[in-house]
Amino acid sequence: MNDLFTTQLESHGFTPHEISQIVKLGKLKTLPAKSILIKQNNVANEFYFLIDGFCHSCYLTEQGKQFSKEFYWRGDWVVGFEELLDQTSSPYTLETITQTSLITLPISLLDRWRKNALPLYIKLLETQLLYKERKERFMLLHSPQARYEVFCQDYPELLAQLNDYQVAAYLGITHISLSRIKNRIKKLT
């Protein structure tokens, strides 16, 4: 199916037979930019492995505001743990930012991994926990300008793919605030 995908499965202890069974369940999809994978308040029946491209998850308010949850790119697993654990609908929307190739897998497979405490499931949980801890620290300990500067330094390839609204939503500021920050930085350089 995809070398990156099968290598990840191998590295987490799946046997060739188990990998072939997982590959049979997976579906390879290529989607254009701005494709909705999960719509907020809908039930997610799949989880994803990204082969290429960028995806974004965000919360949408009734007033039309958007709050960025996360970005995903090559080699990332996209899993809605809250929906899986609480048996609820998705509290966020997941969409492609660029043309994206991914493997979709049934959520029932992830649930089996969870119930059997498979190493890959544990790794996915640990990765998500680390991400959440780091993002919380990032949001609490840095000023908006510092968050923007760190974002530019850490994710230059992502920055080139996003518009100011998306960057601002991730940083927890308005696009107007982001514009002011960018102008301030320009004047300093």
Side-chain angles (χ1 to χ4, degrees):
M1 179 171 265
N2 176 273
D3 290 340
L4 181 61
F5 180 63
T6 55
T7 300
Q8 278 235 356
L9 295 173
E10 287 169 357
S11 72
H12 291 287
F14 287 96
T15 66
H17 176 71
E18 291 168 328
I19 291 171
S20 75
Q21 295 301 310
I22 293 167
V23 166
K24 285 179 188 174
L25 292 171
K27 293 183 179 99
L28 180 62
K29 289 186 180 180
T30 299
L31 302 167
K34 299 186 187 297
S35 296
I36 302 293
L37 292 163
I38 302 170
K39 190 172 181 181
Q40 186 169 306
N41 298 319
N42 285 0
V43 174
N45 296 315
E46 300 173 319
F47 67 111
Y48 310 95
F49 180 81
L50 263 67
I51 296 169
D52 194 36
F54 292 101
C55 292
H56 176 238
S57 57
C58 62
Y59 302 101
L60 306 170
T61 68
E62 290 179 12
Q63 296 76 29
K65 286 189 80 172
Q66 177 179 323
F67 293 95
S68 182
K69 180 181 180 301
E70 319 187 34
F71 292 103
Y72 308 91
W73 51 83
R74 178 180 165 77
D76 279 345
W77 290 86
V78 184
V79 177
F81 284 106
E82 183 177 2
E83 304 95 283
L84 176 70
L85 299 173
D86 287 345
Q87 301 291 303
T88 60
S89 59
S90 178
Y92 58 83
T93 291
L94 174 66
E95 69 178 338
T96 61
I97 294 174
T98 62
Q99 178 175 313
T100 302
S101 296
L102 49 80
I103 296 171
T104 68
L105 293 157
I107 204 76
S108 59
L109 176 64
L110 185 65
D111 196 37
R112 273 191 305 227
W113 292 354
R114 178 178 72 89
K115 288 176 180 167
N116 294 315
L118 293 182
L120 179 54
Y121 181 78
I122 302 300
K123 180 64 177 174
L124 292 173
L125 279 177
E126 289 173 348
T127 300
Q128 188 67 20
L129 179 61
L130 282 173
Y131 174 81
K132 296 293 184 194
E133 291 287 322
R134 290 175 181 153
K135 180 142 188 208
E136 178 182 318
R137 186 172 50 250
F138 172 77
M139 297 298 283
L140 292 174
L141 299 180
H142 295 291
S143 68
Q145 182 168 330
R147 290 196 300 262
Y148 176 68
E149 290 169 342
V150 168
F151 185 84
C152 290
Q153 178 184 330
D154 290 352
Y155 305 110
E157 72 286 350
L158 187 57
L159 192 62
Q161 301 291 326
L162 303 175
N163 63 43
D164 281 353
Y165 289 94
Q166 291 167 318
V167 173
Y170 182 79
L171 299 174
I173 60 177
T174 66
H175 72 282
I176 294 167
S177 294
L178 178 59
S179 179
R180 288 182 186 138
I181 289 168
K182 289 169 82 174
N183 286 333
R184 215 173 14 252
I185 291 171
K186 245 186 222 176
K187 288 179 184 175
L188 294 173
T189 57

